[in-house]
Amino acid sequence: MAINHLAPEQTEQFADNIVGFARALRAAGMPVGPGAVIDAMSALQVIDIGKRADVFTTLEAIFVKRHEHALVFSQAFNLFFRPSEEWKHMLDSVPLPDEAKKKPKAGSRRVQEAMSQPRMTETQQHQEQDLRLSVSDKEILQKKDFAQMSAAEIAEALRAIDRMHLPQAELLTRRHRPDARGLRLDLRRTLRASLRTGGDIIDIRRLGRIEKPAPIVALLDISGSMSEYPRLFLHFLHAITDARKRVSVFLFGPRLTNVSRALRQRDPDEALASCSASVEDWAGGTRISASLHNFNKLWARRVLSQGAIVLLISDGLEREADSKLAFEMDRLHRSCRRLIWLNPLLRFGGFEAKAQGIKMMLPHVDEFRPVHNLSSIQELITTLSQPLPPHHRSLIRSAA
Amino acid sequence: MTSAANTSDALPASVDAMLELLTSRGYLAERSLATVTYLSLRMGRPLFLEGEAGVGKTEIAKVLSAALGRKLIRLQCYEGLDVSSAVYEWNSAAQMIAIRMAEAAGDTDRDQLSSDIFADRYMIKRPLLQALEPDVAGPPVLLIDELDRADEAFEAYLLEILSDFQVTIPEFGTVKPPPPPIVIITSNRTREIHDALKRRCLYHWVDYPAAERELAIVKTRVPGISAKLSQQVVRFVQALRNQDFYKSPGVAETIDWATALSELDARSLTPQVVGDTLGALLKYQDDITRMQGDTLQKVLKEATSEN
């Protein structure tokens, strides 16, 4: 590594401060590894650290790996290396920040609960077994509305959701892998095999296309009128996020929040906790039109690009139902491969699309399904596992 | 070490020198972009540029290769891009002929045959392998363009190349050049690139330029344009970016539009001429429809008013 003579000798304090700064960033939620700290040290050797703006850009290029983190970084930088005439000395004199107060982890509640429960006696264990759901109970559970479940039933429903699995291979990609029944000739492997027989081609190797699951994008309404459902859906979405790679989840109430990253954590409790931590307004009002607008503008091109299936989970009760809503729905419909609207209101037998918002949205969906109990989620999985028809429009299924 | 020292002599020695180098080739960069470019050259790290389409991410690789006198090797990414079209492929037809020839000559040594036909001359080198070849002018500039269009499997393949600058070919061994290439990766963020890859790079978000810089860019790239028109063009475009459009115009669109207007001999912006040429700026029908009428009048008034 070349050393620029512009930069002064690095003191131990200097190194401590870079490490401290990295820790501050980590405490602020940025993923900063030790490798980045080493990079930062060597990068600061090749620039003139007398120029604050250059140091800012340098550290930013190393510590920030996503555009979303840029704001956090710049705030942290300005706090840590306060601008001043002789700011350069700050690199040598700023004390380390206190360690951020850590919140107890979400999973730890379960551990605590588990630890605090008194030990079971034998009779208790016996009773416990009797209390387990029998087969017929399970059938009832399948049909029971999420909104009417007791805590124990919800817990059982969550376990059922965990057991659901989505099939993997649905979408043909343009990549290939060795496949005896494939359609394309694998010249390279054929030739390699032919060498064993001195150049005579005896068996022909073939290539087949790699299949992978289509990406799923879920838009989940968390407004007040939906309050019974989001937790269960999030659990469902967490279960499928675990199984496949490309699932993006957005929550919307008054605002739109991307929780895909949070859901990717292994432990469902921890994942749901960090989901709710990232949303400021649970159970507020809905602004479907505005949320869809934001989604279309900021995210559609990023998450819908590879033939995604969109699950829109909402009751469609929108106050500001106007032509804008229809416009945004249309745009969403045109930018994905399949738009499935899951509406818990469909549980009511005589459901009619009377609300203005629902009328506006209906013409733009491929499928309209109920989603209020386990069996409807099971049906949804069956639908998702069927081979997708080529893009078609306005095939609205009536309420089941 | 000596070859590395020689090539680094040609590289700019400070951020200011980098800025000057880019400017001399007509690329008016923000200081922050010049800083990360300089760092990436000095540290031998790939530079990962992200930003909206048309802000000049690809252009910097072109300018850099021209300014440093290095070869530009471009890998345009697309879905389904695989090793045989990005790295190398064996020339099977030629290999087959070689086998037949050996057969006809009565050669029966299989090991000899196998090492003969998996030699350098039967290999078709694709961009990534080309970039690892030594070049007399110094290590080339490798542009991996729109990486977000390739799929995750390809990204994972890139990890070896980007951290060690080497490629392993089963039949051939490992290819590793003494001085690694200068690597510039661009992404329009149509999907997120994995953190593992970004960690190996210096990351920079390229933003739309400020009005003053954009004006300078227009003047450099569209030489014949009048001062008045160029000012109006830039004001108009900057005002458009404040509107809630599906796709805001990038610098590339500004240059296109300014060129179009100057081809049409426009003296200043009028509703008529703007309406006729709006397609150079906005690429979505919805956005164009929204621009008709009041919005156009408002933005135009903003752009053409004296200060």
Side-chain angles (χ1 to χ4, degrees), chain A residues 39 65 175 196 293 302, chain B residues 81 110 189-190 192 201:
Chain A
D39 279 353
K65 300 294 177 196
R175 299 175 75 88
R196 244 171 272 146
H293 174 75
R302 291 161 65 183
Chain B
L81 180 67
R110 277 188 219 170
R189 238 185 14 158
T190 58
E192 293 296 345
C201 309

Side-chain angles (χ1 to χ4, degrees), chain B residues 18-154:
Chain B
M18 185 78 231
L19 207 52
E20 242 170 69
L21 187 79
L22 294 176
T23 311
S24 72
R25 292 281 163 166
Y27 190 99
L28 307 175
E30 301 280 342
R31 189 178 172 86
S32 56
L33 181 59
T35 308
V36 287
T37 313
Y38 167 72
L39 273 175
S40 118
L41 293 187
R42 288 303 293 260
M43 296 171 71
R45 280 301 195 77
L47 180 58
F48 191 104
L49 297 177
E50 219 169 35
E52 300 294 335
V55 289
K57 303 186 294 294
T58 305
E59 193 64 23
I60 192 151
K62 295 183 186 168
V63 168
L64 207 58
S65 86
L68 297 173
R70 306 289 177 80
K71 198 156 82 180
L72 176 70
I73 295 171
R74 178 173 182 165
L75 175 67
Q76 175 68 49
C77 297
Y78 54 88
E79 207 184 337
L81 180 67
D82 55 6
V83 173
S84 64
S85 40
V87 192
Y88 73 99
E89 196 170 21
W90 290 107
N91 186 348
S92 303
Q95 284 175 322
M96 215 95 86
I97 293 170
I99 294 174
R100 289 283 162 241
M101 295 288 280
E103 215 175 40
D107 263 337
T108 48
D109 185 353
R110 277 188 219 170
D111 288 341
Q112 183 60 41
L113 185 63
S114 138
S115 68
D116 277 352
I117 68 163
F118 289 114
D120 198 51
R121 64 194 158 125
Y122 294 115
M123 189 188 279
I124 303 168
K125 289 174 180 137
R126 304 292 190 200
L128 289 183
L129 200 56
Q130 285 171 21
L132 298 181
E133 302 242 281
D135 194 273
V136 278
V141 175
L142 169 64
L143 168 64
I144 302 177
D145 212 10
E146 305 190 20
L147 180 61
D148 49 332
R149 285 172 183 274
D151 32 13
E152 291 91 344
F154 181 71

Side-chain angles (χ1 to χ4, degrees), chain A residues 166-398:
Chain A
L166 274 177
Q168 288 295 306
E170 290 143 21
L171 206 66
L172 280 178
T173 67
R174 288 175 180 280
R175 299 175 75 88
H176 292 83
R177 65 182 153 73
D179 177 0
R181 285 178 299 169
L183 293 174
R184 210 162 121 164
L185 179 67
D186 187 350
L187 216 49
R188 182 175 156 192
R189 279 191 184 76
T190 306
L191 201 77
R192 193 128 183 84
S194 79
L195 282 179
R196 244 171 272 146
T197 53
D200 286 328
I201 293 173
I202 290 172
D203 61 342
I204 288 178
R205 304 295 173 96
R206 291 175 180 282
L207 288 172
R209 296 240 233 149
I210 295 176
E211 294 176 348
K212 66 178 176 185
I216 288 182
V217 175
L219 300 169
L220 174 55
D221 188 341
I222 52 165
S223 59
S225 55
M226 292 278 294
S227 63
E228 312 288 343
Y229 298 96
R231 202 188 138 76
L232 279 141
F233 290 140
L234 274 178
H235 209 89
F236 167 68
L237 293 168
H238 178 263
I240 63 174
T241 306
D242 218 23
R244 50 165 84 200
K245 274 191 183 146
R246 293 185 297 169
V247 179
S248 317
V249 181
F250 295 82
L251 303 181
F252 68 93
R255 258 183 301 259
L256 181 80
T257 320
N258 183 359
V259 293
S260 316
R261 284 222 143 203
L263 268 190
R264 236 163 266 156
Q265 295 177 43
R266 268 294 147 106
D267 186 280
D269 278 350
E270 205 161 308
L272 294 203
S274 53
C275 260
S276 46
S278 53
V279 178
E280 287 163 24
D281 34 28
W282 282 90
T286 333
R287 284 166 64 221
I288 303 180
S289 173
S291 301
L292 287 182
H293 174 75
N294 276 340
F295 176 80
N296 283 334
K297 192 167 146 67
L298 301 174
W299 293 98
R301 267 173 297 193
R302 291 161 65 183
V303 295
L304 297 181
S305 56
Q306 284 146 334
I309 303 168
V310 173
L311 305 178
L312 176 65
I313 308 166
S314 168
D315 52 17
L317 299 180
E318 163 77 319
R319 271 171 299 167
E320 309 157 10
D322 51 17
S323 60
K324 268 187 194 158
L325 179 59
F327 176 83
E328 299 297 346
M329 276 300 284
D330 181 42
R331 164 138 264 166
L332 178 66
H333 187 208
R334 278 187 288 137
S335 38
C336 68
R337 195 151 57 116
R338 195 164 172 75
L339 176 53
I340 301 176
W341 183 6
L342 304 170
N343 192 335
L345 285 184
L346 282 190
R347 69 180 181 276
F348 302 119
F351 175 81
E352 275 176 69
K354 275 190 190 145
Q356 191 62 22
I358 298 179
K359 272 192 200 158
M360 290 281 184
M361 290 160 77
L362 259 186
H364 304 288
V365 298
D366 291 313
E367 219 172 300
F368 191 41
R369 306 180 62 87
V371 60
H372 57 282
N373 57 21
L374 279 179
S375 65
S376 58
I377 287 193
Q378 194 65 57
E379 272 172 42
L380 170 68
I381 290 184
T382 320
T383 314
L384 288 180
S385 51
Q386 278 156 7
L388 286 170
H391 202 109
H392 64 267
R393 310 202 179 287
S394 307
L395 238 186
I396 303 161
R397 247 178 65 152
S398 58

Side-chain angles (χ1 to χ4, degrees), chain A residues 28-47:
Chain A
M30 282 173 57
V32 172
V37 177
I38 297 167
D39 279 353
M41 301 288 292
S42 55
L44 288 177
Q45 285 181 27
V46 296
I47 63 157

